[in-house]
Structures are given as structure tokens and as C-alpha cells.
Amino acid sequence: MKQNDVKFTLPLLDAPRTLRVRFRKVGNLQYISHLDLQRTFSRVLVRAGLPLWYTKGFNPHIKMVFGMPLPVGSESECEFLDIRIEREMSEAEVMARLNAELTDELSVTAVYPAMRKFSEIAYAEYLYTVVTAGADEALADRVREALTTGPLTVVKKTKSGEKEVNILEALHRTDVRLENGAIVIEAVLAAGEGKYLSPEALITALREKTGILSGDPTVEHYRILRRRALLADGVSTFS
Amino acid sequence: MNEKISSILKSVEKPGRYSGGEYGAIIKEKDAVKARFAFCFPDTYEIGMSNLGMRILYGALNREPDIWCERMFAPWVDMQQKMREYDVPLWAHESGDPVKDFDILGITLQYEMCYTTVLQVLKLSHIPLTAAARGEDDPIVIGGGPCAYNPEPVADFFDCFSIGEGEDNLVEFTKLYISMKEDGSYTRAAFLRRAAATVKGIYVPSLYDVSYHDDGTIAAITPKYEDVPKQVEKCIIADMDKAFFPDKVVMPYIEAVHDRIMLEVYRGCIRGCRFCQAGMIYRPVREKSHEVLNAQARCLYDNTGYEEISLTSLSISDYTELEPLTRSLLEWTDKNMVSLSLPSLRVDSFSRELMDRIASVRTSSLTFAPEAGTQRLRDVINKNVREEDLMRAVNVAFAGGKTNVKLYFMNGLPTETSEDIEGIATLAQSVVHEYYRNKERPKGRSPQVTISVSCFIPKPFTPFQWEAQDTMEMLREKQEYLYDKITDRKVRYTHHDARVSHIEAVLARGNRKLCRALALAAERGFCFDAWDEFFDYDKWLSVFADTGIDPAFFANRQMGLDEVLPWDVIDIGVSKEFLKRERARAYEAATTPSCREACAGCGANRLGGERTPCPKRGN
Ligand code: SF4
């Protein structure tokens, strides 16, 4: 039996320390919603036996702050979670303890002191792999054209009804190529507060405009992988 | 997860129900195991993952290196539609492999209203619906759980049933399967026969002939062969301290209905409420020691990170070591910010100390179950609760800052009169009065007393198993009568749908003839009848009409004390004589003391058991 009471024996810190946890969420785990992920982490942090800092007051709870949202059905190599500990534990040990409680599809890739604010995230870089009927150079061209000339619209539901938005404005950079019979798109999308574009919107818009992915979903499918979070220059990696 | 399903997941509601990949899920090398077992909970993932029995059996089967047990749930209707559209057969949760290719499919029957879902699960799996239609390559379909104590209404759809606590016998059953496969003696028929003859608690319906009288009652249930037991005795785990305990837990990502540590404190119940099936079928009471429980709780906490521990058992305050258990738990739960909760409280043992210790009480509401409105009727059903006890308990609650009290009752109990129904309203009103009389009540707030009234359903293996259920008209009249008697807005009244209770009664006391009605229901697409939005009473009536079944025969008929009952083929340890005695006492409004006070001689002690109030066998 693992004794996670060990945490009570570690030296107390002068002030709670915020650690940034970078993790991946891929494969089956892409279908887990943000709310479910929060609940999962609250338990993972506990069973990892981390010396967590609890809020004071009537209903003490641990502090968790997540980076930008990731829609259900998208995978990611760069999710962020900030946690707070109140006793001395090395970053390497925090990472090892967390990974012992996680599966490969949801695992920690780095733990370090949080330096930047999540609000500094301006863009995110995605890799789309689209397996669709008739994927050839001509189709790749059509997709490329749709992504450059526009308008490329999706219908957004707002309080006052539905409205069309041109997502090209939120596309910072794209690259389209044909690879092993699949259409591969690399795209940098706006991800800053108030400007965030869901990566799923790109598929929705392209499906509408170019007819990709409109057949049998057991044959045609796609994968969205978020690879990096980027700063305002659209080039430097956020960490 | 297989490719085909994976892309469908992007277009269904709550894809996390199907995606798997949970921490703690057991993955084995499929070529390295000798039997693949799919354990199905025939309802949604969220409900199935809350079931403690499933977790226990999953762990017990997977402890065997030769067996790989996977979970399986009923896909929600949107997914079912996609599966039909794209011809995807139902899969097992861990591997994503089609269940039709498995060796054994176990289905737990937790409530009667899941039967239609069971049949849809078979259809979606592309497994022939009836045992008779299955071929050598189809999985063996085995049922279990509380509804398997009267397996007859679903007998045609199962190759066999496991009766009682399956921790040990399912393993033995699967090992027999493996050995017969290995020595080449396996055929479906040979295996089922051997299992019936040699594995305890295995009931194979096809090995029994059922004959009927002209009036539709059963004449006899006869085994077809000498070596098949006349009556199948349920299995129990004698020593609960040594029962298999799942220390490694599959952690669901999406929220299960009970998302917390469930600590099974004991099995059975020392009370003998005469309507309660659980109180009879799980006899004898067997406790776990508080030391073992504390260690298990600690282990589960370390392995799950749950912030709440729920002590589950039928009537938790009857646990003899509750005080040392809560004390040892609190030694570590408090500083780890873990809370304790008790799901079932009896008014007679409810105290301030208990309330303070137990955090379920974080909410401002408390629940008690007097079940009947007058002392006379409470004596009839042997619910040994007095009005004074209830008033004392609610006063403790009010003084402790609670304002909401929920009270459970039942309509349609044997011998019920209008006075008893009015008594429900009066009792609720007294609780309201009690609130205002209490000087320590929360200041400036008004109380809310909710009465939730269900309909009595006569259940097999209870002293009331022979009783007639009230007709729908009677139940509705009673519900309205009670409604009229409630005048205070501080009393909220909710009641169960009498139509559901009626169908449940038919299914609970049914015999094999019901199989044809259920087969037609499956053909007509019934599913998720335990969900209000899918239950359709009129459709049930037409299924019965079209198959020549009179539902009243099963639900509203007083069964003869000497009649052969469909479930007589099962032996739960409690004797029929005891049930008859208890029934007679009910009609005299005579109570029977709890097992702790005096043994009433139910017969269950012959099954054995450790840390039990029962007299030793043979005495
Ligand atoms: S044998 Fe006696 S003590 Fe044991 S369960 Fe039956 S009535 Fe209770």
C-alpha cells in the first residue's frame, strides 16, 4: 500500500509555490470534457500525494488553474495546469508522482515554476490529419485556396441569434499538403482571450466549403492535434 | 478502442461514456488469456460505473491470469442509432472488440426495468436473443444480481444464472469453461450441464421442465436429469474480512452517479422489514471487522484520491463496530480533507454525535424512511420505528441546523386503510410542528418536509411475496386521497408513477411465459425502461395483449400459500416456512425482533457466516 501521508513530513515553504504542469491529452482522452478533466485532476493530485495547498475558510479546496480550453474531440501535446504546493517537493518528483497516477494518453511532460501568465497565450499551433474520400493534389489545392482566399465562414450561435463569422481573420498561418493519402494541414489559430477560435471550426468550415469529410464517419475521419501554444509574435513558444 | 467507433464518437452525446482509457482499467494481452469475459451493466456508463458489485467481480475475475474480464455498458440511444447505421456490433469497453466473439457474457440484473435494455444489448451485440438459438461459437450468457433470484421472466434469454454472491463462483464457472475447452470436452450443452451439476449457485433454466395447471399456475418445476439440483442454493461469502476486495479501482473520467469511495461495511440486514427483498436475499448478516474496513478505506483513498467515503450497507447504524470504525477513519480522513457519508440512517439510532461526525450532513437535508403512516401499519410491515423515534431524530436534526427532512413512505401495503394514508400526512405535519417547537432550530428559516411515496411491489422471497398489488385505480385513488390530506405548503408531496410499479410487479413475480412478451418488447425496440422518458405504459399493455399475457395474473393476484411459485427453484437459505410465519404475524400486526435481539429462525444460518448474529449451524 502506498502511504501518501509522507507529504505531512516535508518541510513547509514560506509561501505556497505555484507550479506549472504541462501535459498531453491524446487518443481516447480527447473525448473527456474540460469539467471531467478538472475532476480527474483534483483526484490525481491527491492520490499522487502532493503537498497541496488548500484555500482557507469554510470549504477548503485545492487550487487548479487551467490554460486555454481544448474542445472535446481534439488532442493536445501542450495543455497547462497550474497547481499550488505548500511543502518542499522537487519538480522532478512532482512529475514522477503525477505520472505514476496517469495513463500515457494523459501524462505530464514537464513541471516547472510558472513564469508567464496564461493571458500571454495569443495563438495555438495545430496539426490536422484528414482522411477523406478522393484526397488528391487537386483537393489539397482546393483546401489551400479555401484557407487563403476566403471568405471561410462558420455559423456561430450568439445570444441574439445566429451569425456568420469569417474565420480567416483568426487564421494566422496555414500550410496544406498531401501526405500518405491524407490531407495534412498545419495551422496557427488565434487563441488569445476573446479571440480564441476553436480548432473544430476549421473542419466545420472546410466541410461546408469543400465537401471534405461528408461521407461515412467509419471510413472518413480526422484528427486535430494541438502542438504548441504561442506568444503574441505568433512564433515563440509559450511555456 | 477500435477505429470504427472512434470516429463515430465525434458525433454522439457524452463520448466519454465510450472512449475508455481510464486509469485503473485492466488491459491484458488477448492471446495470452484463455477466457474472455464481458461483464455487462445494462444501463449507461455513469450508472454502471457506480455499481460496487461490478467493481468487485471485475477485480475478482481479473485476478486470474487466464481470464480477462472487460466492462460493457448499454450505449445511449444516439449511439445505438449510429451502430445500426454503420453496422458496428457492440464492443467491450477495454479492448473495443466485439462481444459476440467473447467466451462468456455476464449481465448483472439490478432492477426489473432493465430487462428490455438487456435484450437490446444482446441484439446490438449480434448475439442470438434466446439461449436455444445460440450456436457453439456464441458466448455463454450468464445472468446475476438481485433480479436473478427470480430469473424465470428472462429465463429464455440466458444460458444460465449465477445465484447469490458471485465473487468465487463466477471464477470457478469460468475455470470450468477453460478446462473443458482445453481437454476438448466442451460443447455448450455439456458445459452447461457440468456447471449446473458441479458449480454451486449455477442455475441452467433449459435443464428444468416447467408444467402448468389449467389456471395458469405452476404444477411443477422438474430437473431433466438426476445430477441437476432440484433447487439451486445461493452462494455466499462466509467471511467478509476475507472476501475479495478491489483495491485497484477503475477511475471514470466522466462523472459516475456515485463518484466516491463506497465501503461495504456488511452484507445483509438484521431487520426483517416484510416488504424488503434485500433484507431477505442477503441473509445472513455478515460484518467486516472495523480494522479491515479502516485499512481498506485507507487503501482506496490512496488509490483513488476521492474526497468522500460512503459507508454503504442496508442500515448502517446497525453495524456493531460503527463507533470504532468512524473513530479510526476520522484519524486520517480529517487531515486529508476527506469526508464521510452515511446513505442510510435509522431514526432510532440517529444522534447528534453521529450527525456531527458525518459530513453527508453538509447538505441541509436528512432522509428517513418510516414507510407507513401509522404505528399499526408499521407493525404490519415490521418497520420497528416509533413516532417518538422519528420526532427525536428530527429534533436532533433541527437543533443541528437542518431545515429539510425527507420522509419515504409506501402506498398499497397489505392491510392499508384510508387511516394509514391519512397518517402519512399527519406524520409529516407533526414534523413541521416539531420544527417550530424546537428552540434550537435555525433562526428565521422555515422547514421543508418532503414526503416521497412509492407503491408497494410484492417481491419474491419476502413475507409479502404472495400478496396482491393494488390495482392501478386503487393506487391512483390512494395517491389522490393523500394529496387532498396535505394542506400545509411546508409539506411537499411526490409519488412514484404507479404504472411503472405495476409493470415492475409483473416482471418481479413473473414466470417463463413472460419471456415471449419480453421478446416482443425487444422486437418493438423497447429499451431503457428504467428511464422515465422511455417508459411507455400503453406499449407494455399492448405487448402483453399481443402475447396473451394477463398482467394482473402476476401483479394483482393473491398467490396461494401452497402454490408452486416460479422462483421456488431457487433456495436463498431463508425457508418458505419462515416467510409464511412472518406473513401470518403481519396480519396480526405482530412485530418480530431484529436478528441482534433474537433469532427468528429464518434458516439462513445454515449457509454459515462469520461475524454474524446467527446461531451456529446445526444448533
Ligand atoms: S438465522 Fe436467525 S439470526 Fe440468522 S438471519 Fe435468520 S433469523 Fe436472523
Coordinates of all heavy atoms in Angstrom, one line a residue, chain A residues 114-142:
Chain A
A114 N 5.9 28.5 -12.6 CA 5.1 29.3 -13.6 C 5.8 30.7 -13.7 O 5.9 31.3 -12.7 CB 3.7 29.4 -13.1
M115 N 6.2 31.1 -14.9 CA 6.8 32.4 -15.1 C 5.8 33.3 -15.8 O 5.6 34.4 -15.4 CB 8.1 32.3 -15.9 CG 9.1 31.4 -15.2 SD 9.6 31.9 -13.6 CE 11.0 32.9 -14.0
R116 N 5.3 32.8 -16.9 CA 4.4 33.6 -17.7 C 2.9 33.4 -17.3 O 2.5 32.4 -16.7 CB 4.5 33.2 -19.2 CG 5.8 33.6 -19.8 CD 5.8 33.1 -21.2 NE 7.1 33.4 -21.9 CZ 7.5 34.5 -22.3 NH1 6.7 35.6 -22.2 NH2 8.7 34.7 -22.9
K117 N 2.1 34.4 -17.6 CA 0.7 34.3 -17.3 C 0.0 33.6 -18.5 O 0.4 33.8 -19.7 CB 0.1 35.7 -17.1 CG 0.6 36.4 -15.9 CD -0.4 37.6 -15.6 CE 0.2 38.4 -14.5 NZ 0.6 39.7 -14.9
F118 N -1.1 32.9 -18.2 CA -1.9 32.3 -19.3 C -2.4 33.3 -20.3 O -2.6 33.1 -21.5 CB -3.0 31.5 -18.8 CG -2.6 30.2 -18.1 CD1 -3.2 29.7 -16.9 CD2 -1.6 29.4 -18.7 CE1 -2.8 28.6 -16.3 CE2 -1.1 28.2 -18.1 CZ -1.7 27.8 -16.9
S119 N -2.6 34.6 -19.8 CA -3.1 35.6 -20.7 C -2.1 36.0 -21.8 O -2.4 36.7 -22.7 CB -3.5 36.8 -19.9 OG -2.4 37.3 -19.2
E120 N -0.9 35.5 -21.7 CA 0.1 35.8 -22.7 C 0.0 34.9 -23.9 O 0.6 35.1 -24.9 CB 1.6 35.7 -22.1 CG 1.9 36.8 -21.1 CD 3.3 36.6 -20.5 OE1 4.2 36.5 -21.3 OE2 3.4 36.6 -19.3
I121 N -0.8 33.9 -23.8 CA -1.0 33.0 -24.9 C -1.9 33.7 -26.0 O -3.0 34.2 -25.7 CB -1.8 31.7 -24.5 CG1 -1.0 30.9 -23.5 CG2 -2.1 30.8 -25.7 CD1 -1.7 29.7 -22.9
A122 N -1.3 33.8 -27.2 CA -2.1 34.6 -28.2 C -2.5 33.6 -29.4 O -3.5 33.9 -30.0 CB -1.2 35.7 -28.8
Y123 N -1.7 32.6 -29.6 CA -2.0 31.7 -30.7 C -1.8 30.2 -30.3 O -1.1 30.0 -29.3 CB -1.1 32.0 -31.9 CG -1.3 33.4 -32.5 CD1 -0.5 34.4 -32.2 CD2 -2.4 33.6 -33.4 CE1 -0.7 35.7 -32.7 CE2 -2.6 34.9 -33.9 CZ -1.7 35.9 -33.6 OH -1.9 37.1 -34.1
A124 N -2.3 29.3 -31.1 CA -2.0 27.9 -30.9 C -1.8 27.3 -32.2 O -2.4 27.6 -33.2 CB -3.2 27.2 -30.1
E125 N -0.8 26.4 -32.2 CA -0.5 25.7 -33.5 C -1.1 24.3 -33.5 O -1.0 23.5 -32.6 CB 1.1 25.6 -33.5 CG 1.6 24.9 -34.8 CD 3.1 24.7 -34.7 OE1 3.8 25.7 -34.7 OE2 3.5 23.5 -34.4
Y126 N -1.8 24.0 -34.6 CA -2.5 22.7 -34.7 C -2.0 21.9 -35.9 O -1.6 22.5 -36.9 CB -4.0 22.9 -34.9 CG -4.6 23.6 -33.7 CD1 -4.7 25.0 -33.7 CD2 -5.1 22.9 -32.6 CE1 -5.3 25.6 -32.6 CE2 -5.7 23.5 -31.5 CZ -5.8 24.9 -31.5 OH -6.4 25.5 -30.4
L127 N -2.1 20.6 -35.8 CA -1.9 19.7 -36.9 C -3.1 19.0 -37.2 O -3.7 18.3 -36.3 CB -0.7 18.8 -36.6 CG -0.4 17.8 -37.7 CD1 0.4 18.5 -38.8 CD2 0.5 16.6 -37.2
Y128 N -3.7 19.1 -38.4 CA -4.9 18.4 -38.8 C -4.5 17.3 -39.7 O -3.7 17.5 -40.7 CB -5.9 19.3 -39.5 CG -6.4 20.5 -38.7 CD1 -5.7 21.6 -38.5 CD2 -7.7 20.4 -38.3 CE1 -6.2 22.7 -37.7 CE2 -8.3 21.4 -37.5 CZ -7.5 22.6 -37.3 OH -8.1 23.6 -36.6
T129 N -5.0 16.1 -39.5 CA -4.8 15.0 -40.4 C -6.2 14.6 -40.9 O -7.0 14.1 -40.1 CB -4.1 13.8 -39.8 OG1 -3.0 14.4 -39.1 CG2 -3.7 12.8 -40.8
V130 N -6.5 14.7 -42.2 CA -7.9 14.5 -42.6 C -7.8 13.3 -43.6 O -7.2 13.4 -44.7 CB -8.4 15.8 -43.4 CG1 -9.8 15.5 -43.9 CG2 -8.4 17.0 -42.4
V131 N -8.5 12.2 -43.2 CA -8.6 11.1 -44.1 C -10.0 11.2 -44.8 O -11.0 11.0 -44.1 CB -8.5 9.8 -43.4 CG1 -8.7 8.6 -44.3 CG2 -7.1 9.7 -42.7
T132 N -10.0 11.5 -46.0 CA -11.3 11.8 -46.7 C -11.3 11.2 -48.1 O -10.3 11.0 -48.7 CB -11.6 13.3 -46.7 OG1 -13.0 13.5 -47.2 CG2 -10.7 14.1 -47.5
A133 N -12.5 10.9 -48.6 CA -12.6 10.3 -49.9 C -12.0 11.2 -51.0 O -12.2 12.4 -50.9 CB -14.1 10.0 -50.2
G134 N -11.3 10.7 -51.9 CA -10.8 11.4 -53.0 C -9.7 12.5 -52.6 O -9.6 13.5 -53.2
A135 N -8.9 12.1 -51.6 CA -7.9 13.1 -51.2 C -6.8 13.0 -52.3 O -6.1 12.0 -52.4 CB -7.4 12.7 -49.8
D136 N -6.6 14.0 -53.0 CA -5.5 14.1 -54.0 C -5.0 15.5 -54.1 O -5.5 16.4 -53.3 CB -6.0 13.6 -55.4 CG -7.2 14.4 -55.9 OD1 -7.6 15.5 -55.3 OD2 -7.8 14.0 -56.9
E137 N -4.0 15.8 -54.9 CA -3.4 17.1 -55.0 C -4.5 18.2 -55.3 O -4.4 19.3 -54.8 CB -2.3 17.1 -56.1 CG -1.0 16.4 -55.6 CD -0.3 17.0 -54.4 OE1 -0.7 18.1 -54.0 OE2 0.6 16.4 -53.9
A138 N -5.4 17.8 -56.2 CA -6.5 18.8 -56.6 C -7.3 19.2 -55.4 O -7.6 20.4 -55.1 CB -7.4 18.2 -57.6
L139 N -7.6 18.2 -54.5 CA -8.4 18.5 -53.3 C -7.6 19.3 -52.4 O -8.1 20.3 -51.8 CB -8.9 17.2 -52.7 CG -9.8 17.4 -51.4 CD1 -11.1 18.2 -51.8 CD2 -10.2 16.1 -50.8
A140 N -6.3 19.0 -52.3 CA -5.4 19.7 -51.4 C -5.4 21.2 -51.8 O -5.4 22.1 -51.0 CB -4.0 19.1 -51.4
D141 N -5.3 21.4 -53.2 CA -5.3 22.7 -53.7 C -6.6 23.5 -53.3 O -6.6 24.7 -53.0 CB -5.3 22.7 -55.3 CG -3.8 22.4 -55.7 OD1 -2.9 22.6 -54.9 OD2 -3.6 22.0 -56.9
R142 N -7.7 22.8 -53.4 CA -9.0 23.4 -53.1 C -9.0 23.9 -51.6 O -9.5 24.9 -51.3 CB -10.2 22.5 -53.4 CG -10.4 22.3 -54.9 CD -11.9 22.2 -55.1 NE -12.7 21.2 -54.3 CZ -12.6 19.9 -54.6 NH1 -11.9 19.4 -55.6 NH2 -13.3 19.1 -53.8

